[in-house]
Amino acid sequence: MTTRQAVTGTLRWSRMQGRRGLRACRDQRGFTLIELLVVIIVLGLLVGLVGPRLFGRVGQSKQAAARAQIELLGAGLDQYRLDVGSYPDGNVGLDALQRNPNVNNWNGPYLKKSVPKDPWGNPYRYRCCPGQFGEYDLWSEGADGAPGGDGENADVTSWDSAAK
């Protein structure tokens, strides 16, 4: 078999495959409108049933994140107290964990990053020396940003975060 015969045979084979491919494409059919509507309705039902359950957990996860951040800030405050001898004054607040408020023996920063806001975008509240519920009070006022509340609006506090 010469090279020319091999090339000619390859071209013939290629043309036959191309014709078969075109025939196969013509034989394929798409989905009907009814089939597409059924799929869209089923997806809509799934989103309608599952979606609210997933979005209901967002508030719970934000409260869990607030509790974790309060614990982290509390650990920073405890380290500050070990170095300085007392918790930061209420006027200085949580910024003392990042910047020296002109006190002796400050060995910070006590947090790797700046003091975070709560999961709802509000600053954490801090009262010290003494706090109303302990040596210091640290809390978030929840989604509504007001004291008290239920559910997602409930306060997340340092004095009862260990109980939850």
Side-chain angles (χ1 to χ4, degrees):
M1 180 181 252
T2 64
T3 306
R4 185 174 191 177
Q5 289 172 335
V7 169
T8 305
T10 304
L11 288 175
R12 281 188 198 136
W13 181 80
S14 173
R15 285 186 195 136
M16 287 174 33
Q17 291 295 71
R19 287 184 189 134
R20 287 183 191 149
L22 287 175
R23 194 175 313 127
C25 284
R26 277 187 254 142
D27 291 342
Q28 289 182 351
R29 309 239 169 168
F31 293 106
T32 65
L33 180 61
I34 292 175
E35 291 170 333
L36 289 174
L37 287 174
V38 167
V39 169
I40 290 171
I41 289 170
V42 168
L43 289 174
L45 287 172
L46 284 174
V47 168
L49 294 173
V50 175
R53 291 184 185 189
L54 293 178
F55 289 119
R57 302 217 186 262
V58 171
Q60 292 173 351
S61 64
K62 284 187 176 184
Q63 287 199 330
R67 272 189 219 99
Q69 286 179 335
I70 285 174
E71 290 294 322
L72 177 74
L73 292 171
L77 287 168
D78 291 339
Q79 185 65 42
Y80 179 97
R81 190 191 76 180
L82 287 173
D83 289 345
V84 175
S86 64
Y87 289 108
D89 184 15
N91 296 331
V92 175
L94 297 174
D95 288 334
L97 299 176
Q98 281 298 114
R99 289 188 244 17
N100 186 349
N102 296 325
V103 294
N104 295 330
N105 299 327
W106 188 86
N107 196 20
Y110 298 98
L111 298 174
K112 290 183 180 181
K113 297 180 180 179
S114 63
V115 177
K117 292 192 179 281
D118 71 8
W120 300 278
N122 301 316
Y124 282 100
R125 305 296 198 133
Y126 173 72
R127 179 175 39 224
C128 182
C129 308
Q132 188 175 358
F133 299 96
E135 294 183 65
Y136 66 87
D137 297 341
L138 183 58
W139 73 99
S140 166
E141 293 181 336
D144 62 355
D150 293 325
E152 192 175 345
N153 294 332
D155 296 350
V156 181
T157 63
S158 62
W159 54 91
D160 67 5
S161 64
K164 291 186 179 183

